[in-house]
Amino acid sequence: MGMSQSLGTDTPFVMLASSEIFSLEMSKTEALEQAFRRSIGVRIKEESEMIEGEVVEIQTDRSVTGGTKQGKLTIKTTDMESVYDMGSKMIDAMTKERVMAGDIISIDKSSGKISKLGRSYAKSRDYDAMGVDTKFLQCPDGDLQKRKEVVHTVSLHEIDVINSRTQGFLALFSGDTGEIRSEVRDQINTKVAEWKEEGKAEIVPGVLFIDEVHMLDIECFSYINRALEDELAPIVIMASNRGNSRIRGTNYRSPHGLPLDFLDRVVIVSTHPYVKDEIQQILSIRAQEEEMDLTPDALALLTKIGQETGLRYASNLITTSQLIAAKRRQKQVGIEDVQRSFALFYDSGRSVKFVAEFEKRLIGDGGAVNLSVTNGHGDAMEIS
């Protein structure tokens, strides 16, 4: 997500867990295709005519029968002033936006949308008190009618759904997009390429993050291999915690569970263990996010636990220590709360040691268990 934000505010970011692909009601390659196209943005530029100025007067005429409403809008800039006729829809829009004389507004001629930009400086002394969100602006200059460039950013997948479903953009809200025919995507790719040549659109490659990438099978890797060669390809980041493991769908073993020809395409990011100062900073930030107040001794003990057992376990102890402190009616988490939490909840190392020590009292693969075995130190689950 940080990489997508550094590339730009409109850069798409899509996160996908590999196990999701096998639970969707569509083919594996279709699920990957949709994920790829969701992570590719299209920045569409279009010019629209706007009327922008300061409202001088609003006149509304109602018929005796209470039917259609009509009115006139007087709007000005520093250089000119003009009067426009208003219909019932525009009057309703003005009422909804609470437009009054002295407001600076913008009207989109194509859609009729009215936007209240602020209030004129000339009317700043009309009231003794104004709201904190009131924005004062200078009266616009130049012509009333202006051409402005409006930029919309959508993903290729959204364009696919709109053009492949009869309900159009409403299909985006239903969530059930289903499989999309390749012919539709080819037509959209051609149209987007034309917009790009004409300068109407700009392609914004985003970031696709695939977690548990070792869970993908050989068919998925073959598809990703081809998709990365496409002209419209996002930045793909993959994460795996496997060493030499079997490639799903084959009998071959490979580093990280990735085929060797696919592994040859990727750039592997080197990682290193956190040092003491980094662990302390991460735990301090985590405590701040959970609105906790840790004593320096408690933070130092959590840092030591994080070095010896792991950062995840130390992070989990923050929450349990807070609950123990709350039970004592203490607002600050102290070292005794962390010690109590450490004694109550095992980390993976102590859990493995416990299983090895009391293995005969646990049910094994064959279903056998020996309940008569004791260790001579009392109950195994007793915590002092």
Side-chain angles (χ1 to χ4, degrees):
M1 185 174 289
M3 184 179 289
S4 67
Q5 290 296 317
S6 64
L7 292 173
T9 53
D10 293 334
T11 304
F13 173 79
V14 177
M15 187 171 71
L16 175 71
S18 300
S19 52
E20 293 178 27
I21 293 174
F22 301 96
S23 61
L24 297 173
E25 295 181 356
M26 61 179 74
S27 65
K28 295 173 286 187
T29 53
E30 175 65 21
L32 284 171
E33 177 77 29
Q34 290 190 12
F36 266 77
R37 292 180 76 85
R38 277 202 307 270
S39 54
I40 300 171
V42 182
R43 192 175 288 137
I44 302 171
K45 304 172 185 176
E46 59 179 4
E47 284 191 348
S48 60
E49 286 194 6
M50 311 287 289
I51 300 174
E52 191 174 301
E54 179 185 337
V55 177
V56 177
E57 187 183 9
I58 300 175
Q59 294 178 348
T60 306
D61 300 326
R62 294 180 180 271
S63 62
V64 178
T65 58
T68 58
K69 294 179 285 185
Q70 293 181 342
K72 293 185 181 295
L73 169 67
T74 307
I75 190 170
K76 71 170 184 176
T77 64
T78 54
D79 299 331
M80 62 182 297
E81 182 176 315
S82 185
V83 179
Y84 293 93
D85 292 328
M86 295 191 299
S88 58
K89 287 186 177 180
M90 194 168 182
I91 292 172
D92 292 339
M94 288 279 188
T95 307
K96 185 179 178 181
E97 291 292 329
R98 297 180 180 178
V99 177
M100 62 179 67
D103 288 338
I104 295 176
I105 63 170
S106 174
I107 305 172
D108 190 338
K109 287 188 70 176
S110 58
S111 63
K113 182 183 177 182
I114 299 172
S115 303
K116 190 174 176 181
L117 305 179
R119 191 149 181 85
S120 174
Y121 273 115
K123 302 291 183 179
S124 60
R125 298 184 180 274
D126 286 3
Y127 301 97
D128 295 332
M130 302 293 288
V132 293
D133 56 345
T134 304
K135 188 177 180 181
F136 290 101
L137 302 171
Q138 295 285 357
C139 181
D141 55 1
D143 294 336
L144 278 167
Q145 296 192 27
K146 299 181 177 69
R147 296 185 68 88
K148 282 192 174 181
E149 188 179 79
V150 182
V151 180
H152 308 282
T153 303
V154 294
S155 68
L156 280 176
H157 176 65
E158 290 171 343
I159 302 176
D160 293 343
V161 173
I162 292 170
N163 287 275
S164 64
R165 297 290 179 267
T166 53
Q167 61 266 45
F169 75 95
L170 293 175
L172 294 171
F173 300 100
S174 65
D176 184 19
T177 57
E179 297 202 9
I180 299 171
R181 292 183 294 112
S182 59
E183 293 83 359
V184 174
R185 289 197 175 107
D186 292 339
Q187 292 174 4
I188 290 169
N189 290 344
T190 304
K191 193 65 179 176
V192 169
E194 291 177 6
W195 289 346
K196 185 181 176 183
E197 289 292 329
E198 296 170 1
K200 293 181 180 178
E202 180 184 350
I203 305 297
V204 185
V207 178
L208 172 62
F209 177 72
I210 304 177
D211 199 9
E212 305 169 344
V213 70
H214 54 268
M215 293 295 294
L216 297 177
D217 60 13
I218 192 66
E219 295 175 11
C220 296
F221 286 122
S222 177
Y223 172 80
I224 295 175
N225 234 341
R226 183 194 64 79
L228 289 175
E229 296 177 350
D230 200 337
E231 183 182 359
L232 301 175
I235 299 170
V236 181
I237 301 175
M238 295 168 286
S240 174
N241 59 358
R242 298 295 174 90
N244 284 309
S245 58
R246 186 176 66 86
I247 303 169
R248 191 168 178 174
T250 69
N251 294 321
Y252 303 121
R253 296 179 67 84
S254 178
H256 313 298
L258 305 181
L260 289 176
D261 59 337
F262 183 72
L263 193 64
D264 188 49
R265 285 179 174 272
V266 303
V267 178
I268 300 174
V269 180
S270 63
T271 57
H272 59 84
Y274 290 117
V275 297
K276 179 181 176 181
D277 293 340
E278 291 172 337
I279 293 175
Q280 185 171 354
Q281 185 180 3
I282 292 169
L283 292 174
S284 178
I285 294 171
R286 175 68 181 268
Q288 289 175 10
E289 288 295 320
E290 296 192 9
E291 297 181 354
M292 284 178 50
D293 189 10
L294 287 171
T295 63
D297 292 339
L299 182 59
L301 180 56
L302 282 170
T303 304
K304 184 180 179 183
I305 293 171
Q307 284 182 281
E308 295 177 358
T309 62
L311 184 59
R312 286 182 179 175
Y313 176 68
S315 299
N316 291 332
L317 286 187
I318 292 177
T319 304
T320 55
S321 300
Q322 184 188 23
L323 295 174
I324 293 171
K327 188 177 180 182
R328 296 193 302 117
R329 291 184 171 86
Q330 296 294 319
K331 294 183 179 179
Q332 196 174 39
V333 177
I335 190 170
E336 62 274 15
D337 301 315
V338 178
Q339 289 172 339
R340 177 66 174 158
S341 185
F342 181 76
L344 285 173
F345 303 100
Y346 278 10
D347 59 275
S348 57
R350 286 185 293 163
S351 179
V352 170
K353 184 180 177 182
F354 175 84
V355 171
E357 189 174 351
F358 300 99
E359 187 174 4
K360 291 184 179 180
R361 299 188 65 180
L362 302 173
I363 299 175
D365 292 338
V369 60
N370 187 357
L371 299 178
S372 63
V373 177
T374 59
N375 61 350
H377 299 290
D379 192 349
M381 295 302 294
E382 183 178 329
I383 297 172
S384 57

